[in-house]
Amino acid sequence: MSEYKAPLENINFLVNEVFGYEDHYKNFASYEDATPDMVDAILTECAKFCENELAPLNQSGDKQGCVFNDGNVATPSGFKEAYQQYVEAGWQGLSFEPEYGGQGLPQSLGLIKTEMLGSSNWSFSMYPGLSLGAMNTILAHGDEAQKNTYLPKLTSAEWSGTMCLTEAQCGTDLGQVRTKAEPNDDGSYAITGSKIFISAGEHDLTENIIHIVLARLPNAPKGTRGISLFIVPKFNVDADGNVLDRNTVSCGSIEEKMGIKASSTAVINFDNAKGFLIGPENKGLECMFTFMNTARIGTALQGVCAAEFAYQKSLEYAKDRLSMRSLSGAKQPDKIADPLVVHPDVRRMLLTQKAFVEGGRAMIYYAGKIADEFVDGKNDDVKKQADDKMGFLTPILKAFLTERGFDSANLGIQIFGGHGYIKEWGLEQNLRDVRISSLYEGTTGIQALDLLGRKVMLDRGKQVTSFVKEVLSFCKDHSMISNNPQKRRMHKFIWPLSKEAANLQQYSLRLMLKAKKNREVVGAASVDYLMYAGYILMAYMWAQIAQTANDKLTEGTDNKAFYKSKIRTAEFFFARIFPQAKVHAQLMMKSPNSLMKITEDEL
């Protein structure tokens, strides 16, 4: 079977037709180089790199894994060579500041690059992926000297970066962080402590690794209010970025994991290591959110990547594998049996994968346009609006898409049957690899609490109201008008979408009122609330896809099959997937009593 084929036709459909990236890019003076020809050339070259260099290393990397030896970590065979090609092609700086060696292209284009990297080899994509978060954090909160020292080599990918939050006694509850930072006479700090679960924490791909570390200053307030953020390089460097002596940073071990085995997940020990404060004292968690939001969008992409991989493999197998006869009569009477793809239940699974991967991709690309506004908007008001909107969307994207990615990977094994359970085909690796995505950067439950507790209730529903207005505006523009056949064709999508979008606002208000009387309402309702919002967001994407496809068919096209496929998949989504949203709506409005009345002894 083929390893991976970049879905360029589907990508270009969203970029060029659904979301109009060409016109979008014209709103930014700094994106003048992002012409259609340039974008097409970049995506084509990225596809070649992912198909020819990364995809062949995916299964071998999983089999070999990373090797730990006396504090050093060796990545699997072929990774160093592929990474060097990545460096030489300048992929890391695609969407980063030209001032530091980047190409200054749109953030949205960088997300498409990341998708292809992740679909072809998620473990490999982790190494440059974590670096992007470190780069964005230093850019947003570092002083000029820190930017000039670290960003050029990070942008070129000669150095890599990490995010060091988790400790043995605390994961999500960062108020328990114990790593200490003692001031030195030269203005630096001595960092002492141990961090676990550090993705790309130690490896042999780059000459230096720049750790972004949470630690406590002496006499800092307790809890999250007393955490500061520090830059701690593996090797000390001078002001010009030249590598000096080894810092007292060491790798104690690497984790033996369920999946992404070619990605080094390390225990990193700091023993009076030299570090440098980034951002204000005791504001480290706020600064770290720059890193975490970057990582959460990247993690949301892993769900799409896993779904894409599973769908490609499943579709190819279902068309080739012969098993039984169609219930409505033989479809290939000249063969011993019909292919799996003719059977309704197999089509249900394939269409579910297709709906999730294409709808999920649309959700990411939709968010990509907002990311462009946040980074390069024309003024602070535009950037603030984009930041608020992204803050609302990020937990939905991260949690909903990673859960749906796992569902799609699981369906892939089901389609393959017993063969899916065998390593040879890559489906069981895909399931193992994607399982972490709903855990790191905050579990699904944490994302849900962030959405309902912070982004909805603390915001008094402003962002959810704004989102609902946007959806209803789209529905109004494309609602049924008797003398417009095209709008009548959209009724099957517009009516259920508008109904559930309006309900989302009403449910949000009711939950806010309930939570005033009982705070447990937030925790009890949060996951179902997020999933409800996620289905509505994906439905919004599929309605736009269907609208665009209908427009193209009305105008006339030589590629009718492609656009009809989009409409058929939208019909499937609204008929068989979107109704699941109603169940989440019912559950989130239930009293928390059935969860909280039972005692610990009764559990």
Side-chain angles (χ1 to χ4, degrees):
M1 298 183 75
S2 60
E3 297 286 349
Y4 166 74
K5 183 67 176 176
L8 288 178
E9 187 176 26
N10 286 319
I11 289 172
N12 286 322
F13 168 66
L14 292 177
V15 167
N16 298 323
E17 299 175 37
V18 177
F19 295 122
Y21 273 28
E22 180 181 357
D23 290 337
H24 167 69
Y25 290 158
K26 290 177 181 178
N27 296 321
F28 303 85
S30 58
Y31 292 172
E32 60 182 1
D33 291 335
T35 63
D37 288 344
M38 174 63 78
V39 170
D40 183 67
I42 289 171
L43 297 184
T44 299
E45 288 305 310
C46 187
K48 290 179 182 177
F49 175 65
C50 293
E51 292 170 356
N52 300 330
E53 306 301 331
L54 298 189
L57 300 175
N58 190 36
Q59 282 189 272
S60 62
D62 177 71
K63 183 176 181 180
Q64 185 177 350
C66 292
V67 178
F68 176 80
N69 182 23
D70 193 26
N72 299 310
V73 175
T75 53
S77 300
F79 270 48
K80 290 178 71 173
E81 292 79 6
Y83 190 83
Q84 188 56 39
Q85 292 183 48
Y86 181 87
V87 173
E88 292 171 356
W91 287 117
Q92 188 71 346
L94 182 71
S95 302
F96 206 69
E97 297 293 323
E99 180 180 356
Y100 304 106
Q103 299 168 48
L105 290 167
Q107 298 294 310
S108 51
L109 190 56
L111 286 172
I112 302 173
K113 174 204 73 176
T114 301
E115 181 203 331
M116 286 192 271
L117 290 175
S119 294
S120 59
N121 192 323
W122 185 262
S123 287
F124 180 92
S125 75
M126 292 286 289
Y127 294 98
L130 270 295
S131 295
L132 288 172
M135 292 158 62
N136 289 335
T137 302
I138 295 172
L139 181 66
H141 305 291
D143 59 35
E144 289 304 311
Q146 290 170 339
K147 293 176 186 178
N148 292 329
T149 298
Y150 297 105
L151 288 180
K153 293 290 183 69
L154 285 168
T155 302
S156 69
E158 295 171 78
W159 295 353
S160 62
T162 74
M163 174 172 62
C164 295
L165 284 75
T166 305
E167 299 179 7
Q169 77 285 353
C170 68
T172 301
D173 186 3
L174 294 173
Q176 298 184 48
V177 163
R178 296 174 184 167
T179 298
K180 297 179 180 179
E182 297 283 346
N184 293 323
D185 293 337
D186 62 358
S188 65
Y189 294 80
I191 311 298
T192 302
S194 184
K195 300 287 186 175
I196 66 170
F197 301 162
I198 307 307
S199 298
E202 177 61 31
H203 54 79
D204 57 1
L205 301 181
T206 61
E207 67 172 353
N208 205 358
I209 301 174
I210 311 303
H211 300 288
I212 307 296
V213 184
L214 286 181
R216 290 188 181 280
L217 292 167
N219 302 317
K222 293 182 180 180
T224 57
R225 293 181 299 167
I227 300 176
S228 299
L229 193 63
F230 299 86
I231 300 173
V232 187
K234 174 182 174 181
F235 286 92
N236 293 310
V237 299
D238 63 21
D240 296 322
N242 298 309
V243 173
L244 304 175
D245 57 316
R246 176 73 182 255
N247 204 353
T248 49
V249 178
S250 63
C251 178
S253 63
I254 57 174
E255 306 293 349
E256 295 185 9
K257 308 189 297 291
M258 176 180 178
I260 54 171
K261 295 184 177 182
S263 171
S264 169
T265 305
V267 174
I268 301 295
N269 300 316
F270 303 92
D271 185 10
N272 287 319
K274 181 176 284 189
F276 304 89
L277 181 69
I278 177 172
E281 292 185 3
N282 302 324
K283 298 293 184 181
L285 198 57
E286 295 175 24
C287 296
M288 181 59 83
F289 268 106
T290 301
F291 201 138
M292 292 178 70
N293 285 333
T294 300
R296 283 172 176 173
I297 296 295
T299 306
L301 259 175
Q302 187 180 0
V304 177
C305 294
E308 176 65 40
F309 181 92
Y311 177 62
Q312 286 194 20
K313 293 278 188 177
S314 299
L315 182 61
E316 186 177 2
Y317 185 79
K319 287 181 176 180
D320 182 66
R321 177 74 169 181
L322 302 178
S323 182
M324 301 183 294
R325 289 296 186 190
S326 168
L327 295 175
S328 59
K331 298 298 183 288
Q332 295 188 10
D334 57 322
K335 295 183 179 180
I336 194 170
D338 288 327
L340 284 173
V341 73
V342 308
H343 301 302
D345 192 57
V346 174
R347 290 195 169 209
R348 172 189 63 82
M349 292 186 283
L350 288 169
L351 280 166
T352 299
Q353 292 175 322
K354 181 178 173 65
F356 286 156
V357 68
E358 294 186 17
R361 177 181 295 118
M363 289 165 68
I364 294 291
Y365 291 11
Y366 166 77
K369 293 177 70 174
I370 303 169
D372 290 339
E373 296 281 0
F374 169 63
V375 174
D376 295 307
K378 60 184 178 181
N379 56 51
D380 289 342
D381 287 341
V382 171
K383 292 181 179 181
K384 178 64 167 59
Q385 290 176 10
D387 188 25
D388 290 342
K389 189 172 184 179
M390 188 64 81
F392 172 74
L393 291 174
T394 295
I396 301 173
L397 295 171
K398 195 278 180 183
F400 183 79
L401 292 180
T402 55
E403 294 287 357
R404 302 293 76 78
F406 180 81
D407 291 345
S408 299
N410 197 36
L411 287 173
I413 291 181
Q414 192 73 12
I415 290 168
F416 272 72
H419 289 285
Y421 201 66
I422 305 301
K423 288 182 178 292
E424 169 187 359
W425 300 92
L427 274 296
E428 62 86 33
Q429 178 191 339
N430 190 44
L431 187 67
R432 288 187 286 106
D433 284 351
V434 75
R435 187 61 190 89
I436 185 63
S437 66
S438 61
L439 305 178
Y440 56 19
E441 314 309 336
T443 63
T444 297
I446 293 300
Q447 302 299 326
L449 284 172
D450 179 44
L451 175 65
L452 183 56
R454 294 180 67 242
K455 305 300 174 55
V456 174
M457 294 196 175
L458 290 184
D459 185 55
R460 296 184 179 181
K462 292 178 182 177
Q463 285 306 311
V464 70
T465 298
S466 177
F467 170 70
V468 168
K469 285 182 178 179
E470 178 183 337
V471 175
L472 293 180
S473 177
F474 170 85
C475 291
K476 180 180 178 182
D477 290 343
H478 300 92
S479 61
M480 185 176 68
I481 299 176
S482 59
N483 62 355
N484 190 323
Q486 185 176 351
K487 290 188 175 181
R488 287 204 300 273
R489 288 195 292 269
M490 285 295 295
H491 182 69
K492 70 186 79 171
F493 311 123
I494 295 300
W495 171 243
L497 173 59
S498 60
K499 183 179 179 181
E500 295 305 335
N503 285 342
L504 175 62
Q505 188 170 13
Q506 294 300 315
Y507 286 137
S508 300
L509 177 61
R510 288 169 60 187
L511 286 172
M512 283 189 276
L513 293 173
K514 284 175 175 285
K516 287 184 178 180
K517 298 179 180 179
N518 183 355
R519 295 300 297 173
E520 300 290 6
V521 165
V522 180
S526 58
V527 170
D528 286 300
Y529 180 88
L530 185 147
M531 294 303 161
Y532 184 60
Y535 280 115
I536 292 171
L537 179 56
M538 185 171 279
Y540 180 36
M541 297 300 104
W542 271 112
Q544 292 183 68
I545 291 170
Q547 177 63 45
T548 303
N550 268 318
D551 288 344
K552 295 298 292 187
L553 290 170
T554 300
E555 294 168 6
T557 174
D558 294 331
N559 198 8
K560 290 183 179 180
F562 177 81
Y563 295 108
K564 286 182 178 179
S565 172
K566 300 304 176 194
I567 295 171
R568 295 287 181 263
T569 309
E571 290 171 344
F572 170 83
F573 176 86
F574 275 89
R576 289 183 172 266
I577 295 180
F578 194 40
Q580 296 175 35
K582 295 180 183 295
V583 177
H584 290 291
Q586 292 175 6
L587 291 173
M588 71 189 184
M589 300 310 296
K590 296 289 185 181
S591 166
N593 289 343
S594 61
L595 298 173
M596 306 311 298
K597 279 189 173 181
I598 188 169
T599 67
E600 292 182 16
D601 292 336
E602 293 171 332
L603 282 172

